[in-house]
Amino acid sequence: MSIDHARLPELHVCHGRQWAIEVDVEGYFDAVSHPRLMRILARKIADGRVLSLIRSWLNAGIVEPDGHKVKPSCGVPQGGVISPLLSNVFLHMLDRYWRVNGLSKQAGADGQLIRYCDDMLIVTSQNPRLLIRLMEQRLQKMGLTLNRDKTRIIDLRAEAAHFLSFEVRQLRDWRNDDVWLRIAPSRKAEARIKEKIRNILNHRRPVALPDMVKQVNPVLRGWVNYFRHSNGSRSLQRIHEYSEFKVRKVIQRRRRYRTFGWHHVRPSEIYDTLGLYNDYAVLPCMSSRESHRKAACGKTARAV
């Protein structure tokens, strides 16, 4: 998984905004205009050989199951290694128009656009339907279509918005009544990683436990590094406890202990001897509460 974590601080500074819009672009990867994309790339790339290579990549034929070859006239190859980069380049026009031209402010709203490829989330405190109309108009000028059926307006006080496997929800601090955004791994993301851990750390597999640990460590490290840029420490702690539990279960079954080995197996054996991954600390990306305090002091909220 890959994500530009510079997008997360943009969410953290949206502490007082209660509406979220999950934007869906209909058939985005099949609708990107090749001529328009090449003009955008030519503004930054002077080497004609590189542009020719990208053009050849875009025009590469697709072989259908029946053997028929189709040459695409638009779109980027979904699943291709360069597709996320080209998608970001093409939609950079939308980012620039939103920020530089102040589309949201001109409409009398305070919408914050957070985007990675075609996954877009707008967080605002007012006029969510107006922002949808403005987004739809701008996408049409780019040759794209807003999917009205899948674009949702979410009240963050009542339910969570989802963005790149993160859950975003507005909470209220019971101690001082401050409002802040909780950004944490989604339940589906937790369920998927638990399934992977369960499949690897399985006592029925004909694999030695040290080899199982070597296999599960990269999975844990990748998942934690993706989600540690948030205030989801509880989610990371649950995965920490679950992975240790599965190791203890394998030990209990293979050594035939009556319990899961809580008193038979010390943590030092699991983390030092076997070497199970053990770095679940949340990195110091500014929390929503900190951004709220700094915004109140008139300072710019930035990621550390």
Side-chain angles (χ1 to χ4, degrees), residues 195-202 205 212 215-216 219:
E195 183 180 2
K196 291 181 180 179
I197 295 171
R198 186 166 56 249
N199 291 336
I200 297 174
L201 297 176
N202 187 338
R205 294 181 64 207
M212 289 186 189
Q215 293 172 10
V216 80
V219 176

Side-chain angles (χ1 to χ4, degrees), residues 111-272:
Q112 180 80 23
L113 174 64
I114 304 99
R115 183 189 64 79
Y116 181 78
C117 290
D118 62 328
D119 292 305
M120 288 181 273
L121 186 72
I122 301 174
V123 184
T124 183
S125 63
Q126 55 187 342
N127 298 331
R129 298 189 184 279
L130 173 60
L131 290 177
I132 289 179
R133 290 199 298 271
L134 293 174
M135 176 65 74
E136 185 174 28
Q137 294 171 4
R138 187 59 192 172
L139 289 174
Q140 287 177 351
K141 292 181 180 180
M142 298 172 62
L144 303 173
T145 303
L146 181 74
N147 191 331
R148 281 275 187 170
D149 295 332
K150 293 185 178 180
T151 298
R152 301 173 58 221
I153 297 176
I154 299 170
D155 186 349
L156 295 176
R157 298 168 299 180
E159 63 175 310
H162 294 83
F163 179 68
L164 297 174
S165 296
F166 286 88
E167 282 186 353
V168 183
R169 185 165 185 174
Q170 187 183 92
L171 299 177
R172 187 174 295 276
D173 193 335
W174 60 270
R175 294 170 295 186
N176 51 24
D177 210 36
D178 279 347
V179 173
W180 60 288
L181 285 184
R182 179 181 182 269
I183 304 169
S186 67
R187 294 180 181 179
K188 289 185 178 180
E190 286 192 40
R192 286 194 294 266
I193 187 63
K194 285 183 177 180
E195 183 180 2
K196 291 181 180 179
I197 295 171
R198 186 166 56 249
N199 291 336
I200 297 174
L201 297 176
N202 187 338
H203 70 277
R204 295 185 178 89
R205 294 181 64 207
V207 179
L209 180 56
D211 294 331
M212 289 186 189
V213 172
K214 290 180 181 179
Q215 293 172 10
V216 80
N217 277 348
V219 176
L220 291 171
R221 184 181 300 111
W223 192 89
V224 172
N225 285 338
Y226 181 84
F227 287 109
R228 71 166 76 244
H229 296 264
S230 67
N231 43 27
S233 57
R234 292 183 180 179
S235 298
L236 270 62
Q237 182 62 27
R238 285 194 291 267
I239 300 304
H240 185 187
E241 294 171 354
Y242 185 78
S243 60
E244 180 180 332
F245 166 77
K246 296 303 292 184
V247 170
R248 289 183 179 275
K249 187 173 181 178
V250 173
I251 293 174
Q252 179 256 337
R253 292 297 180 92
R254 293 192 172 180
R255 296 182 184 176
R256 298 186 179 181
Y257 293 143
R258 293 185 178 181
T259 65
F260 289 128
W262 300 108
H263 61 283
H264 295 292
V265 182
R266 294 180 178 274
S268 59
E269 180 179 352
I270 295 176
Y271 295 106
D272 297 335

Side-chain angles (χ1 to χ4, degrees), residues 57-117:
W57 206 323
L58 293 173
N59 294 330
I62 301 173
V63 180
E64 301 289 350
D66 59 359
H68 181 64
K69 187 176 182 180
V70 179
K71 188 176 182 180
S73 59
C74 60
V76 294
Q78 189 167 1
V81 294
I82 199 174
S83 296
L85 175 60
L86 297 179
S87 301
N88 275 324
V89 169
F90 188 78
L91 283 177
H92 180 68
M93 295 188 300
L94 177 63
D95 299 337
R96 184 175 179 82
Y97 190 83
W98 189 277
R99 292 179 175 84
V100 177
N101 293 355
L103 175 64
S104 177
K105 293 181 179 179
Q106 291 177 9
D110 58 352
Q112 180 80 23
L113 174 64
I114 304 99
R115 183 189 64 79
Y116 181 78
C117 290

